[in-house]
Amino acid sequence: MVLIPLLGVGQNNQLLDFENLVNKTWIAEGEWSNGSKFKQEVSYTFNLNKSIVVADSKGYINKEQTEYGNRNHGIRQYNSVEDKIEFWEFDVFGGVTKGTVQIKDRNIWYQYKYGDATVTDCWEYMDDSKYKFTVGSYINDKWEAIYLQTVFKLKNE
């Protein structure tokens, strides 16, 4: 009985699509549509026998955007019962964002509720060391509004 769930993970691990991001650190800077600064550094790792992806992010940790430090701790997990990838992002302010992830042609799409709005983040694959990062309102396969657009680049450690 115990072997059945273990075999299921090995046979259909949707999280392997994160492999290019894992064991690397990615950095991006930009500006939100409201004029505030965006600066983030994200490190990805597999954990629990590749059954989860952990994302640790550094970013601004105060409203004045003068302090930079550990901002988010995220988890991505494949839900085999519902056949979807889910994610949770816990932030330094005590909040949690949860939603779903879809991977299409090496592009990673996050969708989640932010207040009353549904927001989409897209990591659009450019090459093995760059992803175009877009945050906005994505409806019927097109961007209705873009709140942020920048590029995450592989950090040279």
Side-chain angles (χ1 to χ4, degrees), residues 122-156:
C122 179
W123 284 64
E124 185 180 342
Y125 179 85
M126 297 171 76
D127 61 42
D128 282 351
S129 63
K130 287 194 293 293
Y131 287 82
K132 180 177 170 184
F133 181 63
T134 305
V135 179
S137 174
Y138 191 78
I139 301 169
N140 296 324
D141 295 327
K142 67 178 186 170
W143 291 105
E144 297 288 332
I146 293 177
Y147 311 131
L148 172 73
Q149 197 163 64
T150 187
V151 174
F152 267 97
K153 296 178 184 173
L154 182 61
K155 182 178 180 181
N156 297 326

Side-chain angles (χ1 to χ4, degrees), residues 6-24:
L6 292 175
L7 289 173
V9 168
Q11 291 173 349
N12 188 20
N13 189 345
Q14 303 291 327
L15 298 179
L16 292 179
D17 289 324
F18 282 90
E19 209 146 35
N20 188 57
L21 297 172
V22 170
N23 296 324
K24 300 173 185 170

Side-chain angles (χ1 to χ4, degrees), residues 47-76:
N47 207 320
L48 300 178
N49 218 17
K50 293 189 177 182
S51 67
I52 63 170
V53 174
V54 177
D56 284 309
S57 304
K58 291 182 179 181
Y60 292 113
I61 56 174
N62 65 348
K63 287 183 182 177
E64 298 78 24
Q65 297 185 306
T66 56
E67 293 182 48
Y68 189 80
N70 294 332
R71 190 179 196 292
N72 291 45
H73 178 78
I75 297 174
R76 290 87 171 106

